[in-house]
């Protein structure tokens, strides 16, 4: 099933240039990128967005109250718990989940789509990371997941149960093309 | 996943080098052995043995190679220490530790609004690298092959690439922000390298080829020295060409101690040779062989001995060119007796009271007995460095025995993983600045002083029995190095366990930096319970195996003559042997 989803998604994205005039970008810029768990993945997402020349803002620990959603087209959350990152931010997993939930709830109120990304793969799976993902699923419109993060079917199950579209990728660099096709 | 990557890496290395060496985590051979933290590096060493090089040749080749494949743990911008025992009886301890540049002073830091804690991950954090000076000295001591031959495998690895392993990838993730800011060219177009990717470092290959052409001394006096100075000036670093030109490595006889009839050959200060001997001297007064490795009373005794020896290390050990220290007293059996008296068999020393248990080693410099000293109750006031300096689980080590019985134990580092994160010509600079006292304290033996080499815990060690090399030991692991070394030696000598077992056993740590007792979680539950409820230890558990406790790569020369090597289980280590 996972392979079918991947093939479908890749084919769908390959068809985008052909129908570019009719289809256009799937999601809007500017993009607000933040971390859910304070792992380095969110900063890498900013690097990827910059490489594709997407208009975006990256903030590691901003709360919902500090964000003006009227200036935002899409919210990208990069999920991954890092003890080091949370410690540096002076917060724990519960506080981090509350922060990010505030952001996605505000995005929903403003009808701004939320893309949830698992960028760092299997090394960034674990109880805290999974807890973060599960908390955000009800607000997620699209999933982008590193293939080796789904060896146990965790994200495939989410996709099937919640009917959230999902794209898998093998290498972090592959995400450039995904972003290009989603936003340009 | 890790095992598949290891296999993939070995296949790539073998095909690249057309080797006839064999490699595995535990290996046995009568032709020689190289144990290192990375199979690429261990294979390079075995290849050099295969083509007729000796242990010194192999060690130099491994030093260059491991700097390529573990750029986060050591390299041209780093430093280290090696202990060598030649089959003809010659023994050497080679100090190529980094030295503080002339500009590195508290006043300068204060002028720039910085402290050591905020400066060590900037260009200012780099002390004068010693790796190449050490390699040059070691080459002159005992190499037999051309230097170009010894550097060629590293150049090829850098030029043609190697498979990134999980440790490489994880250490990037841990420091991604700083690497993105300071070492963008090292990253994969700004992204972290991932396990399984092929990583090439053409800049480093060019630098190594430059050194082949112009000589290693070019790093200290030539075009590379000019480039380093320019880089430092541009990035507000402190190293200048004068620092590089005046840098020297030191060659000495190793320090010597004994433990239950075995001879330990260890490095000099400012690293932890005396500390290791002092620890083993204390333990020699306890019948440890009456215990098993997981016995809580045995663990408690070893823990307390390590703690007491660490108190003394932090009190006395520094650069001998800058501070006098009672080294002979510290390493004396009589001093150890006075320290053994401090160990309660009922209760652990309370972390709040650690500094009440500092030993006075000075009276023992004159050869006095513990009875004389204690009865005289002479205690001198000594300045104690009570500030904790965190040491990350960084650094790398490798060990080698060749077919003739020449042995090398070598530890090299850039201090923290990725050093100060500044990247030039394919290599990273060290951040040894972090190992000086955070602020100036009168009488402190580790105050930042230009030219001084900082105290660290590395301890490459060779153990002999009746004049024959028996074990070649070393480990990375920052503040846990001494704990792991002690437990390995007790395991080998007191518990008579094979080296594969002593490497694989769960580890614990002791020292003044730990207010808890860090332990890997695979000891018996009853051991944990006894340690905490009877002795009062406050245990903090780590999931086995944890890189925090280091990654020893060690070799045993069995009484049968067979040489057994074990690569670290905590860091994708490997042992490689030539096939002839």
């Amino acid at each position: 099933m996972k392979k079918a989803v991947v093939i479908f998604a890749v084919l769908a994205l390959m068809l985008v240039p052909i129908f570019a005039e009719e289809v256009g970008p799937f999601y809007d810029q500017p993009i607000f990128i933040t971390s859910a768990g304070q792992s380095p993945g969110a900063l890498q997402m900013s690097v990827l967005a910059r490489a594709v020349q997407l208009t975006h803002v990256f903030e590691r620990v901003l709360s919902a109250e500090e964000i003006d959603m009227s200036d935002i087209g899409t919210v990208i959350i990069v999920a991954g718990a890092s003890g080091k990152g949370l410690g540096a931010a002076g917060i724990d997993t519960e506080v981090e989940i509350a922060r990010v939930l505030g952001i996605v709830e505000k995005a929903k109120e403003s009808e701004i789509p939320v893309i949830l990304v698992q960028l760092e793969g299997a090394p960034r799976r674990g109880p805290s990371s999974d807890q973060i993902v599960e908390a955000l699923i009800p607000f997620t419109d699209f999933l982008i997941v590193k293939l080796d993060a789904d060896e146990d079917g965790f994200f495939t199950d989410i996709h099937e149960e919640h009917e959230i579209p999902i794209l898998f990728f093998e290498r972090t660099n592959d995400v450039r093309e995904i972003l290009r096709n989603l936003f340009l | 996943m890790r095992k598949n990557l290891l296999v993939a890496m070995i296949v790539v290395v073998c095909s690249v080098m057309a080797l006839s060496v064999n490699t595995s985590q535990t290996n046995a051979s009568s032709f020689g052995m190289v144990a290192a933290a990375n199979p690429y590096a261990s294979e390079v060493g075995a290849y050099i043995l295969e083509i007729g090089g000796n242990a010194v040749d192999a060690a130099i080749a491994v030093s260059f190679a491991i700097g390529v494949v573990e750029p986060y743990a050591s390299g041209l911008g780093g430093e280290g220490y090696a202990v060598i025992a030649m089959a003809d009886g010659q023994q050497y301890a080679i100090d190529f530790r980094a030295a503080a540049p002339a500009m590195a002073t508290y006043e300068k830091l204060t002028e720039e609004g910085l402290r050591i804690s905020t400066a060590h991950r900037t260009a200012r954090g780099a002390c004068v690298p010693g790796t190449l000076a050490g390699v040059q000295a070691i080459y002159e001591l005992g190499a037999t092959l051309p230097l170009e031959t010894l550097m060629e495998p590293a150049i090829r690895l850098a030029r043609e690439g190697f498979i990134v392993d999980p440790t490489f990838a994880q250490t990037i993730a841990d420091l991604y922000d700083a690497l993105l800011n300071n070492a963008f060219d090292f990253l994969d177009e700004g992204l972290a390298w991932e396990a399984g990717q092929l990583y090439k470092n053409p800049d480093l290959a060019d630098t190594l080829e430059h050194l082949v052409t112009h000589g290693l001394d070019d790093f200290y006096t030539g075009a590379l020295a000019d480039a380093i100075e320019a880089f430092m000036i541009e990035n507000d670093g402190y190293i200048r060409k004068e620092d590089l030109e005046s840098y020297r490595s030191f060659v000495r006889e190793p320090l010597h101690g004994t433990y239950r009839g075995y001879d330990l050959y260890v490095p000099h200060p400012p690293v932890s040779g005396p500390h290791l001997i002092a620890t083993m001297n204390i333990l020699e007064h306890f019948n440890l062989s009456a215990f098993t490795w997981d016995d809580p009373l045995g663990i408690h005794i070893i823990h307390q001995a390590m703690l007491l020896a660490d108190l003394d290390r932090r009190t006395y050990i520094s650069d001998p060119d800058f501070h006098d220290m009672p080294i002979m007293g510290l390493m004396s059996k009589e001093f150890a007796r006075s320290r053994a008296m401090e160990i309660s068999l009922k209760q652990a020393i309370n972390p709040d009271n650690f500094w009440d248990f500092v030993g006075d080693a000075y009276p023992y410099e004159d050869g006095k007995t513990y009875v004389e000293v204690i009865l005289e109750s002479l205690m001198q006031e000594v300045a104690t460095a009570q500030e904790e300096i965190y040491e990350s689980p960084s650094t790398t080590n490798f060990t080698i025995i060749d077919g003739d019985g020449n042995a090398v134990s070598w530890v090299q580092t850039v201090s923290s993983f990725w050093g100060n994160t500044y990247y030039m010509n394919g290599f990273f600079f060290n951040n040894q600045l972090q190992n000086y006292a955070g602020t100036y304290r009168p009488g402190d033996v580790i105050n930042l002083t230009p030219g001084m080499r900082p105290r660290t815990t590395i301890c490459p060690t060779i153990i002999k029995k009746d004049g024959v090399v028996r074990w070649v030991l070393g480990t990375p692991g920052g503040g846990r190095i001494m704990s792991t070394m002690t437990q390995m030696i007790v395991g080998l000598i007191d518990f008579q366990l094979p080296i594969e077992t002593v490497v694989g056993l769960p580890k614990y740590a002791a020292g003044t930096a730990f207010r808890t007792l860090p332990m890997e979680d695979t000891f018996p539950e009853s051991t944990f319970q006894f340690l905490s409820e009877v002795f009062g230890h406050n245990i903090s558990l780590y999931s086995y195996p944890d890189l925090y406790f280091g990654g020893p790569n060690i070799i045993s020369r069995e009484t049968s003559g067979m040489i057994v090597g074990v690569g670290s289980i905590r860091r994708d280590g490997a042992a490689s042997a030539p096939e002839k």
Side-chain angles (χ1 to χ4, degrees), chain B residues 29-99:
Chain B
S29 167
S30 55
F31 299 118
M33 188 65 63
V34 179
N38 186 292
Y40 286 105
S42 64
E43 294 242 351
V44 164
Y47 164 72
I48 295 297
L49 295 178
E50 178 87 6
I51 64 171
N54 65 11
V56 174
D57 294 310
I60 291 169
V62 172
S63 172
F64 281 112
I66 204 148
V68 174
V69 300
E70 286 192 330
Y72 50 89
S74 75
L76 303 184
E79 47 113 278
Y81 213 115
V83 172
I84 298 175
M86 302 299 285
D88 65 5
Q90 294 287 325
Q91 297 182 145
Y92 309 103
I94 302 93
D95 174 340
F96 51 99
R97 299 292 322 290

Side-chain angles (χ1 to χ4, degrees), chain A residues 40 43-44 47-48 50 60 84 120 123-124 146 148 151 170-173 176, chain B residues 1 170 172-177 180 184 188-192 194-197:
Chain A
L43 180 55
Q44 291 206 78
V47 170
L48 287 161
R50 194 178 322 135
R60 219 182 291 262
K84 190 179 173 197
E120 296 164 87
R124 203 56 73 183
K146 195 159 188 228
D148 71 345
E151 281 177 357
E170 292 233 17
R171 290 279 177 221
T172 309
N173 252 313
R176 285 179 211 246
Chain B
M1 166 100 166
Q170 182 58 50
I172 294 177
D174 290 343
L175 213 57
Y176 180 66
D177 281 49
L180 185 64
F184 187 92
D188 180 16
E189 296 179 274
L191 299 175
E194 300 171 47
Q197 273 189 282

Side-chain angles (χ1 to χ4, degrees), chain A residues 59-77:
Chain A
E59 290 287 350
R60 219 182 291 262
V61 289
L62 224 54
S63 65
E65 296 72 35
E66 297 167 292
I67 303 170
D68 182 356
M69 289 290 174
S70 65
D71 290 338
I72 292 169
T74 308
V75 170
I76 293 181
I77 311 270

Side-chain angles (χ1 to χ4, degrees), chain A residues 3 6 10 118-122 144-149 167-175 178, chain B residues 1 194-195 197:
Chain A
K3 200 176 277 188
V6 173
V10 168
Q118 205 286 358
L119 196 71
E120 296 164 87
I144 301 173
V145 175
K146 195 159 188 228
L147 199 55
D148 71 345
L167 265 180
F168 290 101
F169 63 93
E170 292 233 17
R171 290 279 177 221
T172 309
N173 252 313
D174 300 341
V175 177
I178 294 174
Chain B
M1 166 100 166
E194 300 171 47
Q197 273 189 282

Side-chain angles (χ1 to χ4, degrees), chain B residues 99-105 124 126-128 238-240 243 433 448-451:
Chain B
M103 284 176 67
T105 64
R124 300 167 187 83
C127 292
V128 183
Y238 291 154
I239 296 175
R240 297 293 182 268
D243 298 307
L433 191 77
L448 175 62
T449 309

